Amino acid sequence: MKVQTTPIEGQKPGTSGLRKKTRVFMQPGYLENFIQATFDAIGGGTGKTLIIGGDGRYFNKPAIQTILKMAAANGVAKAIVGQDGVLSTPAASHLIRLNHADGGFILSASHNPGGIDEDFGVKFNAQNGGPAPETLTEKIFAATTVITQYLIADQGDVDLGAIGTTHLGDMRVQIVDPVESYHALMETLFDFNAIRALFAGGFTMRFDAMHAVTGPYAHAILENTLGAAQGTVVNGIPLEDFGKGHPDPNPIWAKPLMDLMMSDAAPDLGAASDGDGDRNMIVGRGAYVTPSDSLAILAANAHLAPAYAAGLTGIARSMPTSAASDRVAEKLGIACYETPTGWKFFGNLLDADKVTICGEESAGTGSNHVREKDGLWAVLLWLNILAVRKLSVAEIVADHWATYGRDYYSRYDFENVESDKANAVMQALRTKLPTLFGQTHAGLTVSAADEFSYHDPVDGSVSENQGVRISFDGGGRVVFRLSGTGTQGATVRVYLEQYAAEGFDRDVQAVLQDVRHAGDAISELSALTGRTEPDVIT
Ligand code: G1P
Ligand code: ZN
């Protein structure tokens, strides 16, 4: 049936889909408008196959029922849905590719907390399994501004719990095990026998699923297949509110895991993943690995895993990510690419086989096996490398720095800043950019300063205003950008980096002090926002 509607303001997808407060999504017509706009933007649903699933957070199931009814009314031929409406983001990406589907809806607000008073999100992934590129998200947004009606089947709910095929009107609905295909894919990428032998030899691990989507995946793969001791996976039952936690795998939000790893009782490896299973944290006994370093180390050692034995074609990293992986690319004699923040910018490079591995400083790493970042994939690649090299995490990191030098790195987040103040910070920086070159601030001389624009080498598209980057003589850099995933106010992110060719065991914040002060002096962030200390340091 057709339902008359009018445009709802603010349905502009951000870094990763449309993310809003759950109650906003629950308003009548809100989800419906966005889903219909997506159908309108992709040329309708007729005859299409779609993958549908989410991270299991509050409102996941009702939203899936609505999407299914709308898909049926829009002429979709087949919907493949994770049992109970659950699919991790990388598993959904894989299912799109495996089934040659036309795309998929992934319901998640990633690492943002879940619950009726927290966050919800929807993103559309395209045929290649990757997040809709900017050209498509712009079309979707444009469609939300002119929408007049949406289509929805007048049918009862589908039983999402029963694996098998059913129908909703003329649409076939196939309910699948969320883990099975993903599990099979991982077996093709890694040397499971070597990892099994590692665990059999007494290797110990803790994987914190943070009550989010990776619990079932991690139990099946790590414990039941690879032989990690039962109990390796903690917080393995997905909950609608993630146990009231903040399912973001970093030293702040995964503090219990960090505390364990820094204690005498630490296992050999600690790892965690986020709400929808695309982020990862890696920490060895007494040794936290920054995501930027993890990307570089994985790239340098990937050939030890069967899928990457022939080498990498190239490496891509988001602009704010440290230059550590560039050094690896240089040594390997392969290309490296710098893209804007957000996984959608890696899709073209992966499709064109220009890169094999990609990563972001925000705990995302992945490869050409899917078109999303993949938390468990990163953990399994680490395990494969540890199994072959027979060194500890700390030893592998130390060896990496000894070879390439160390990119000291930290990110400061200033959250819930009033939007106009946050914009004023960026505007002030923009105004100063042309005169910064050669100036000295806090003892550091500016060697380059610009606002990052990305020219996609595959489709020629240009993405502007992707963050201000200021480099200093001596290998320092500060980057400023506004978050595109928040649901309240603005978040100013300040990314600090300092290269060191020696002295690898210094205090991170102490090494970054000069860059921080230079960034403060140039940006006037404190004066313009009234904030001196960040809310979160990672
Ligand atoms: C953040 C991260 C970014 C990541 C995105 C989705 O986006 O910074 O790297 O791709 O979440 O997980 P932001 O809030 O900075 O726009
Ligand atoms: Zn995520």
Side-chain angles (χ1 to χ4, degrees):
M1 68 181 179
K2 286 181 186 164
V3 179
Q4 301 305 312
T5 185
T6 50
I8 300 174
E9 244 178 75
Q11 295 201 320
K12 191 176 174 63
T15 311
S16 183
L18 183 67
R19 231 175 254 189
K20 298 284 170 194
K21 287 284 159 207
T22 309
R23 285 187 197 270
V24 172
F25 261 105
M26 292 171 74
Q27 291 167 48
Y30 194 92
L31 175 68
E32 289 85 345
N33 271 19
F34 188 70
I35 299 298
Q36 187 62 51
T38 305
F39 278 119
D40 295 348
I42 62 170
T46 308
K48 291 190 167 143
T49 297
L50 294 181
I51 307 299
I52 302 170
D55 63 13
R57 70 179 60 222
Y58 184 86
F59 195 53
N60 189 52
K61 282 188 190 169
I64 288 181
Q65 297 290 0
T66 300
I67 295 173
L68 283 172
K69 289 170 199 169
M70 291 188 65
N74 276 280
V76 169
K78 184 177 178 186
I80 301 175
V81 189
Q83 187 180 24
D84 295 322
V86 169
L87 285 175
S88 76
T89 287
S93 180
H94 176 52
L95 283 177
I96 294 174
R97 298 167 65 76
L98 184 68
N99 293 284
H100 305 290
D102 298 283
F105 286 105
I106 303 176
L107 289 73
S108 169
S110 189
H111 50 285
N112 295 14
I116 190 162
D117 290 314
E118 300 295 349
D119 293 350
F120 193 78
V122 177
K123 55 183 175 167
F124 182 76
N125 279 32
Q127 222 167 14
N128 70 348
E134 268 197 337
T135 42
L136 180 52
T137 55
E138 276 159 19
K139 265 193 190 171
I140 296 173
F141 176 56
T144 67
T145 64
V146 294
I147 191 165
T148 57
Q149 62 174 32
Y150 62 83
L151 304 178
I152 188 159
D154 196 6
Q155 305 266 351
D157 283 357
V158 172
D159 178 1
L160 299 175
I163 288 184
T165 301
T166 161
H167 280 85
L168 187 79
D170 291 335
M171 181 175 80
R172 267 202 295 156
V173 180
Q174 190 184 348
I175 308 286
V176 299
D177 180 304
V179 178
E180 206 173 76
S181 303
Y182 177 84
H183 187 166
L185 173 66
M186 292 300 119
E187 284 205 69
T188 68
L189 302 178
F190 302 114
D191 187 345
F192 270 30
N193 284 333
I195 303 174
R196 255 184 224 114
L198 178 74
F199 281 119
F203 184 89
T204 53
M205 174 177 182
R206 171 165 294 185
F207 180 88
D208 191 339
M210 306 187 88
H211 285 303
V213 78
T214 47
Y217 296 83
H219 279 302
I221 298 173
L222 298 174
E223 293 176 348
N224 301 345
T225 303
L226 293 171
Q230 297 294 321
T232 294
V233 178
V234 298
N235 300 321
I237 299 175
L239 299 175
E240 286 198 331
D241 64 353
F242 309 117
K244 305 229 179 304
H246 195 132
D248 196 0
N250 63 39
I252 309 297
W253 299 115
K255 189 163 185 306
L257 178 64
M258 275 303 280
D259 289 347
L260 173 73
M261 296 310 296
M262 298 302 144
S263 77
D264 290 342
D268 295 302
L269 177 66
S273 190
D274 74 327
D276 61 331
D278 56 0
R279 293 188 173 197
N280 73 88
M281 175 168 108
I282 298 292
V283 46
R285 188 177 285 136
Y288 169 68
V289 187
T290 69
S292 293
D293 276 348
S294 183
L295 170 66
I297 292 168
L298 291 181
N301 292 278
H303 60 281
L304 301 175
Y308 313 103
L312 312 176
T313 60
I315 305 170
R317 63 164 171 87
S318 66
M319 183 274 279
T321 304
S322 92
S325 56
D326 301 6
R327 301 179 209 291
V328 174
E330 196 186 346
K331 182 142 190 237
L332 293 175
I334 57 176
C336 64
Y337 296 86
E338 192 174 25
T339 58
T341 295
W343 209 261
K344 58 179 172 242
F345 295 100
F346 293 134
N348 278 347
L349 296 171
L350 290 165
D351 286 350
D353 206 22
K354 286 185 178 295
V355 301
T356 312
I357 281 188
C358 328
E360 296 195 89
E361 54 64 43
S362 54
T365 15
S367 86
N368 58 357
H369 68 291
V370 289
R371 292 294 181 270
E372 288 277 5
K373 53 190 181 251
D374 188 343
L376 264 175
W377 169 88
V379 174
L380 291 168
L381 182 49
W382 263 99
L383 282 169
N384 198 144
I385 292 165
L386 289 162
V388 175
R389 291 192 63 180
K390 302 187 184 356
L391 296 171
S392 70
V393 171
E395 287 164 342
I396 287 178
V397 172
D399 175 57
H400 189 88
W401 292 338
T403 308
Y404 297 93
R406 177 172 180 184
D407 295 89
Y408 281 92
Y409 192 87
S410 187
R411 184 178 99 186
Y412 289 13
D413 291 336
F414 297 84
E415 297 178 341
N416 234 324
V417 177
E418 287 160 57
S419 291
D420 47 351
K421 290 187 178 165
N423 288 328
V425 171
M426 297 308 293
Q427 199 41 52
L429 280 164
R430 252 172 230 133
T431 311
K432 286 189 177 176
L433 278 176
T435 54
L436 280 180
F437 178 80
Q439 287 183 8
T440 299
H441 293 272
L444 294 178
T445 303
V446 176
S447 59
D450 69 356
E451 183 160 34
F452 182 51
S453 274
Y454 180 58
H455 296 249
D456 187 310
V458 180
D459 67 12
S461 61
V462 179
S463 303
E464 288 176 330
N465 306 331
Q466 297 297 330
V468 165
R469 48 183 186 177
I470 303 167
S471 302
F472 303 100
D473 285 346
R477 185 178 77 150
V478 58
V479 169
F480 297 85
R481 64 177 281 281
L482 302 185
S483 159
T485 57
T487 56
Q488 220 170 343
T491 295
V492 182
R493 302 204 195 283
V494 183
Y495 308 79
L496 305 170
E497 177 176 356
Q498 176 62 56
Y499 177 70
E502 56 186 14
F504 304 137
D505 296 316
R506 288 177 282 160
D507 178 73
V508 178
Q509 298 303 331
V511 172
L512 294 172
Q513 206 176 355
D514 290 348
V515 176
R516 180 186 178 181
H517 289 152
D520 277 347
I522 295 169
S523 71
E524 299 169 70
L525 188 132
S526 317
L528 290 169
T529 64
R531 302 286 188 86
T532 48
E533 290 305 314
D535 299 276
V536 179
I537 297 182
T538 50

